[in-house]
Amino acid sequence: MKKYIVILFGFMIVGFGCALTIKANVGMGAWDAFAKSFSDIIGIEVGTAGIIFNCMCVIGQLILLRKNFTFQHLLQVPFCIVLGVIVNFAASTVFTFEVTSIWQGILLYLLANMICALGVSMVMLINKVTMALEGFCMVLSRIFPIEFHKVRQLADIISIAGVILLTIVFPIPLSLGIGTVLGMLIFGPTLGIFMKLLHPIFLKLNLIDSLVEKQFEQP
């Protein structure tokens, strides 16, 4: 139970970080930008669009895995709902300040990126529930002879192409920008830093997944 409470807290942290990227208004990560474009088209909150997109990823895992689909996969759904609800709440109620310059937006985006990396690192270290998109990409990488990072990168490429297409077809603002590029450059390294910093703490609290711990034991 302790592990799932920490995972829940991690998802909540990610939700606040995602809401900050929206407030920064300098572009979002590819997957989040796709959800933002979709939300602009049909007139729903971006967190709600994220819930829909992430649940579609879980459905994709169910279709591909069939009888191998487990309760652990299903747990992605309630955590994705929590994530979307937090994004909606934080974006509309908590972060009500105005960003008045591009530099303020960039600094805010960098802070938001760090917050998201912190939350994701907590979830990854425990490794009981994954983010829905990463879970779907992982299943694809296991079924087809493609490495996980390549599948995940392809998901970003498809998301970016989808955002551009939707922006051309519909009268909505482009949700890509310098923040999208910054996120692609710094999120991975920042995630690695937080995982190393949290590792001894989580190890002492008996929260580390055994498979994750083996990765830390490798030279």
Side-chain angles (χ1 to χ4, degrees), residues 11-86:
F11 270 84
M12 292 175 67
I13 290 175
V14 174
F16 280 102
C18 289
L20 271 182
T21 65
I22 299 171
K23 177 60 65 174
N25 197 32
V26 291
M28 306 170 65
W31 180 247
D32 293 331
F34 198 12
K36 178 67 166 60
S37 297
F38 179 75
S39 70
D40 288 338
I41 291 171
I42 65 175
I44 61 175
E45 293 181 287
V46 64
T48 305
I51 292 173
I52 295 172
F53 274 40
N54 287 323
C55 285
M56 288 173 61
C57 287
V58 179
I59 293 173
Q61 294 173 62
L62 173 61
I63 293 173
L64 292 173
L65 292 173
R66 298 183 183 180
K67 63 181 181 179
N68 292 321
F69 185 85
T70 66
F71 179 70
Q72 186 171 338
H73 294 105
L74 185 61
L75 277 177
Q76 295 173 52
V77 174
F79 282 102
C80 287
I81 293 174
V82 169
L83 177 62
V85 170
I86 292 296

Side-chain angles (χ1 to χ4, degrees), residues 124-127 195 198-200 202-204 207-218:
M124 291 183 65
L125 284 171
I126 297 175
N127 197 33
M195 289 186 72
L198 291 176
H199 172 255
F202 276 39
L203 187 62
K204 186 177 295 185
L207 293 172
I208 295 287
D209 177 75
S210 58
L211 293 177
V212 176
E213 181 57 25
K214 287 181 180 178
Q215 295 176 2
F216 277 92
E217 292 173 353
Q218 293 177 357

